[in-house]
Amino acid sequence: MDEQYYEKLLHIKTAGEQKIFNESPHYNRYEPTSYSVLETLAEQYPFTAEDHIVDFGCGKGRFNFYINYFFDSTVTGIEMSPFFYKQAVQNQRAYLQKQNKKANKITFINALAEDYPISPKDNKFYFFNPFSLQIFTKVVRTILLSVKNQQRTIDLILYYPSNEYLDFLETNTSFTLFNTIKVSADHDPRQSFSVYRLK
């Protein structure tokens, strides 16, 4: 199904190219995960209504609305750009009005990823290569500290992950590779989801 179908279904506007670029070298440009890729993830990964999912670098919120719509998961989008944050909030208003969903299951926060205080309920974290290894390291360590305070199973869902991300998780954390979900028939191994789990 194409973008127009989902944008109309969810009553949101997340398509289009980025027109605003970050000055910081630590944050990558906004690029929404394609709906076809989200379809593949949804078919092969078990989201539930009990999940509390954090999307780092959420942009206009596409991932958040898709997961909430199909799984009724609680979703929190973290976005550093005030412009994209405002777009996400506008999409939220339109989505909630159209879908008659509960507002308390979708939240957007305008903040740096490393400043987000991990909730004891947060159990799944989505990354579409949003920032540098330096920021990723800080975020993962904050997640690990949260687990020390509140024991629970944690999944990191990485789409198109950088080798630096994977090397860090493999050599510097207790996360282990739980699943690899391929989303393309081409020969680029990064065109996939890598799910790392901490039990």
Side-chain angles (χ1 to χ4, degrees):
M1 304 225 178
D2 61 15
E3 285 197 340
Q4 289 183 349
Y5 168 81
Y6 281 112
E7 297 278 274
K8 184 176 181 180
L9 174 69
L10 302 175
H11 206 60
I12 60 176
K13 296 178 181 179
T14 61
E17 297 179 0
Q18 172 175 308
K19 296 181 179 179
I20 295 177
F21 294 88
N22 300 318
E23 294 180 3
S24 171
H26 291 290
Y27 287 85
N28 299 331
R29 69 182 179 86
Y30 165 70
E31 182 180 355
T33 307
S34 72
Y35 284 110
S36 62
V37 167
L38 290 176
E39 285 178 334
T40 300
L41 177 63
E43 289 167 0
Q44 299 188 45
Y45 182 82
F47 292 106
T48 72
E50 287 70 45
D51 284 331
H52 287 250
I53 305 164
V54 179
D55 176 11
F56 287 105
C58 69
K60 300 176 184 179
R62 175 183 294 186
F63 172 86
N64 304 261
F65 298 116
Y66 186 96
I67 298 302
N68 177 260
Y69 180 84
F70 286 104
F71 299 98
D72 199 34
S73 303
T74 298
V75 287
T76 300
I78 312 301
E79 177 53 50
M80 66 166 289
S81 164
F83 175 80
F84 289 126
Y85 166 73
K86 289 177 183 177
Q87 296 288 308
V89 171
Q90 289 176 7
N91 281 327
Q92 181 182 17
R93 291 194 195 101
Y95 171 82
L96 292 173
Q97 183 178 17
K98 181 75 172 181
Q99 306 301 334
N100 196 27
K101 290 269 189 174
K102 293 181 180 179
N104 65 354
K105 297 207 83 172
I106 302 175
T107 303
F108 292 103
I109 299 173
N110 184 202
L112 297 175
E114 61 269 34
D115 292 338
Y116 171 67
I118 307 297
S119 165
K121 292 183 178 180
D122 294 337
N123 66 320
K124 295 181 178 179
F125 301 86
Y126 183 69
F127 302 85
F128 181 7
N129 207 15
F131 32 66
S132 70
L133 176 63
Q134 182 178 346
I135 304 299
F136 182 71
T137 299
K138 291 180 180 179
V139 171
V140 170
R141 286 178 175 159
T142 303
I143 293 171
L144 290 171
L145 182 60
S146 169
V147 175
K148 282 186 178 181
N149 296 328
Q150 178 64 49
Q151 294 291 318
R152 62 200 187 278
T153 297
I154 295 289
D155 280 1
L156 305 182
I157 306 165
L158 285 67
Y159 176 54
Y160 221 93
S162 70
N163 290 329
E164 290 181 320
Y165 279 23
L166 301 182
D167 289 343
F168 169 72
L169 291 175
E170 294 280 354
T171 61
N172 293 281
T173 74
S174 299
F175 282 97
T176 57
L177 183 63
F178 172 73
N179 195 9
T180 299
I181 302 170
K182 296 185 182 298
V183 298
S184 175
D186 66 22
H187 299 291
D188 185 352
R190 290 177 60 197
Q191 187 71 10
S192 62
F193 290 96
S194 294
V195 181
Y196 279 81
R197 176 161 291 179
L198 180 69
K199 290 187 176 181

